[in-house]
Amino acid sequence: MSHDEVVLLDAWGSMFGMRAWIALEEKGVKYEHKMEDLNNKSSLLMQMNPIYKQIPVLIHNGKPISESAIIVQYIYEVWNDNKAPILPSDPYERAQARFWVDYIDKKVYPAWNKMWLSKGEEHEAGKKELISVFKQLEETLGDKTFYGGDTFGFVDIALITFYSWFYTFETYGNFEMEGECPKLVAWAKRCIQRETVSKVLPDEKELYDAVVEMKKELDSK
């Protein structure tokens, strides 16, 4: 499929956009990467994702695919060679991987939002919820190298994009990820040894500064 036209609509620092980016890199797909300004969304984004009007969107030969987990699975299915098998070949293991990606999507970001956008008791509840989610994910990892065992796969891609956000989570929540979930942090450090990951993840301090500015804007409204 060397003649395919592939475009990724993304936004800087998005843990969801980074998933598609890493998957494309893992598969060695040639693509055009377009960064969106979410305060001034392009007509292309509005046209390609008219329902949610959000990134990421993968445009493959003019046809759009939305939602990060769906995009990663699409990349696996279209460029399904022996290089970087993102999803397991066993149906049960594949179902389990999908379950945990769904868990990440339903739990991590909502808990972070709860902690970030609130104060007092609700803030503390969000913090405890976020730490609890990461502890569950650490327990699920167990002693494996990656969530796919020896293979860097779907769950790893879905979760590692939050690694650059760990510093922000820690700072807003006043806790240390390494103290709470040492095995999870060790897993993340293994993941970023991969060039397909390290080239994608933004600097944690730059990301934190951007989040601080975003919070100021929200508070001023």
Side-chain angles (χ1 to χ4, degrees):
M1 296 201 171
S2 57
H3 299 296
D4 283 3
E5 183 181 328
V6 180
V7 179
L8 175 62
L9 303 185
D10 193 2
W12 184 84
S14 167
M15 61 277 282
F16 302 109
M18 285 188 273
R19 290 173 173 179
W21 190 359
I22 291 171
L24 288 168
E25 290 290 334
E26 283 283 322
K27 284 295 186 180
V29 178
K30 291 183 179 179
Y31 62 96
E32 181 182 357
H33 198 184
K34 292 186 175 182
M35 287 293 189
E36 288 282 332
D37 175 359
L38 297 183
N39 291 319
N40 185 24
K41 297 175 184 178
S42 71
S43 58
L44 180 61
L45 175 59
M46 304 296 272
Q47 177 189 347
M48 290 295 166
N49 190 0
I51 305 300
Y52 291 122
K53 303 176 178 64
Q54 294 291 346
I55 57 93
V57 179
L58 184 74
I59 308 170
H60 182 203
N61 293 331
K63 297 178 180 178
I65 303 96
S66 303
E67 298 296 296
S68 63
I70 294 171
I71 291 171
V72 172
Q73 291 177 81
Y74 179 84
I75 291 167
Y76 161 77
E77 290 171 0
V78 173
W79 293 277
N80 190 9
D81 49 27
N82 292 325
K83 181 181 179 181
I86 290 171
L87 279 159
S89 57
D90 179 76
Y92 177 77
E93 291 180 4
R94 200 156 58 240
Q96 287 298 301
R98 286 172 173 145
F99 172 87
W100 286 110
V101 171
D102 184 62
Y103 176 86
I104 292 164
D105 284 349
K106 287 178 177 173
K107 297 290 186 178
V108 179
Y109 195 75
W112 152 242
N113 255 358
K114 184 177 181 179
M115 180 179 78
W116 182 49
L117 298 174
S118 61
K119 296 178 181 178
E121 290 183 6
E122 191 176 353
H123 173 84
E124 284 302 308
K127 169 185 168 180
K128 288 179 181 177
E129 191 176 321
L130 186 62
I131 292 171
S132 175
V133 169
F134 282 127
K135 283 184 178 293
Q136 176 61 70
L137 289 165
E138 182 179 59
E139 183 182 326
T140 302
L141 175 67
D143 294 322
K144 299 191 294 290
T145 303
F146 299 111
Y147 280 91
D150 292 329
T151 304
F152 178 82
F154 190 29
V155 182
D156 302 288
I157 290 171
L159 186 57
I160 192 56
T161 56
F162 287 89
Y163 182 55
S164 290
W165 287 78
F166 280 11
Y167 176 76
T168 299
F169 295 163
E170 292 172 325
T171 307
Y172 272 96
N174 192 28
F175 69 94
E176 290 187 3
M177 278 294 295
E178 194 150 20
E180 296 288 349
C181 302
K183 286 186 178 180
L184 195 66
V185 172
W187 158 83
K189 289 177 179 178
R190 287 193 294 274
C191 290
I192 62 170
Q193 290 175 9
R194 303 176 73 86
E195 186 183 356
T196 55
V197 176
S198 62
K199 71 185 294 181
V200 170
L201 268 57
D203 179 80
E204 61 180 14
K205 300 289 177 62
E206 286 184 31
L207 190 55
Y208 172 74
D209 289 344
V211 170
V212 169
E213 288 303 313
M214 198 185 308
K215 187 69 164 61
K216 286 179 181 176
E217 287 181 21
L218 287 173
D219 290 344
S220 66
K221 291 179 180 178

